[in-house]
Amino acid sequence: MDTAMARTGRPHVTARTAAVWAVLRRELDRNAGRTLTVLDVGGGTGGFAVPLAEAGHTVTVIDASPDALAALTRRAADAGVAERVHAVQGDGDALAGLVEPGSADLILCHAVLEVVDDPSGVVAAIATALRPGGAVSVLVASRAAAILARAVNGHLRAASALVTDPEGRSGPRDTLRRRYDAETAADLLSAAGLQVEETHGVRVVADLLPATVVEQDPQAVLDLELALSAQLPFRDIASQLHLFARRP
């Protein structure tokens, strides 16, 4: 674990985020000794941004919610990293007008591509914002997990709709505009000129276990999540898919 992160003692690494943090730590280690310019698109209250700032990096969070950005600012101040965290109000679809081209070493785009108007445009803006050699961490909702969740809960028509709908939606009342599988997400990134290096499942078992099981042995749940995150078929039935890609 990054020493600055470990020093805080904060439980930001859980079974629900462990696979993502494992990849991000490798990228931080790859750039050891450098202060990275990080952009967190849709970063909300700073669950990733503040620990990255605590690790010594400069992070700009772009989010549409002023309440979330206010909470981010308080969280950064409480952690003593207010000078390294910057809040910008805006949504993912406006990213191209908010960020200088070639200015970011690392971009986080978590739970954004499911809700924006134009995911291809957002990914193109991310690719433009990255410096050559820069990387992006993308987290998207999984179509397979949504199908299974609805099926086991008896919502068979909704599950069937998810199978056949081109965007992976269960119907007009679905809260997400689209869902992905590993191939469609990778194709979206590749079309913008990004090279996908790693794909992991996130929340493979964490969402399936009763809270009492997780509370009884959280380390065992975390270890199992990490063990399954890159293994097929477990990776592809996770609640979310994490893709890590780089601008050549």
Side-chain angles (χ1 to χ4, degrees):
M1 180 180 291
D2 184 280
T3 54
M5 292 181 184
R7 195 165 52 243
T8 68
R10 296 186 177 174
H12 57 266
V13 179
T14 67
R16 296 170 66 86
T17 62
V20 178
W21 275 115
V23 175
L24 292 178
R25 286 198 195 100
R26 287 195 290 272
E27 184 66 10
L28 298 185
D29 289 345
R30 184 177 183 268
N31 290 278
R34 292 183 59 207
T35 297
L36 299 182
T37 299
V38 182
L39 177 65
D40 190 351
V41 183
T45 61
F48 283 89
V50 170
L52 288 169
E54 289 174 313
H57 306 289
T58 301
V59 188
T60 296
V61 176
I62 296 176
D63 199 281
S65 169
D67 291 339
L69 293 177
L72 163 72
T73 300
R74 291 192 297 270
R75 188 174 192 169
D78 290 345
V81 294
E83 74 283 359
R84 290 199 292 273
V85 176
H86 310 286
V88 176
Q89 188 174 356
D91 59 29
D93 285 304
L95 181 61
L98 297 172
V99 184
E100 289 294 324
S103 62
D105 299 298
L106 174 64
I107 297 179
L108 278 58
C109 182
H110 295 171
V112 171
L113 299 180
E114 305 94 319
V115 298
V116 293
D117 293 332
D118 180 15
S120 296
V122 173
V123 174
I126 286 172
T128 299
L130 283 171
R131 294 186 176 119
V136 57
S137 167
V138 173
L139 196 61
V140 294
S142 163
R143 181 200 292 255
I147 293 169
L148 292 174
R150 283 160 176 76
V152 298
N153 284 297
H155 304 301
L156 301 184
R157 292 186 183 277
S160 295
L162 280 160
V163 173
T164 57
D165 186 85
E167 298 289 347
R169 302 183 77 234
S170 62
R173 299 174 66 180
D174 200 323
T175 57
L176 297 183
R177 294 189 175 189
R178 61 193 67 84
R179 292 178 179 82
Y180 296 87
D181 55 37
E183 291 73 22
T184 56
D187 288 346
L188 184 63
L189 300 181
S190 297
L194 299 168
Q195 296 179 349
V196 178
E197 296 182 347
E198 300 182 62
T199 303
H200 292 88
V202 175
R203 293 155 52 199
V204 180
V205 297
D207 289 354
L208 304 176
L209 298 173
T212 52
V213 173
V214 176
E215 293 167 1
Q216 183 178 15
D217 196 345
Q219 186 62 47
V221 178
L222 189 152
D223 292 343
L224 183 57
E225 279 285 336
L226 289 174
L228 297 178
S229 64
Q231 290 191 34
L232 296 175
F234 307 106
R235 182 198 75 181
D236 290 346
I237 61 171
S239 295
Q240 293 174 299
L241 297 169
H242 182 236
L243 289 84
F244 195 74
R246 195 172 302 279
R247 178 182 172 184

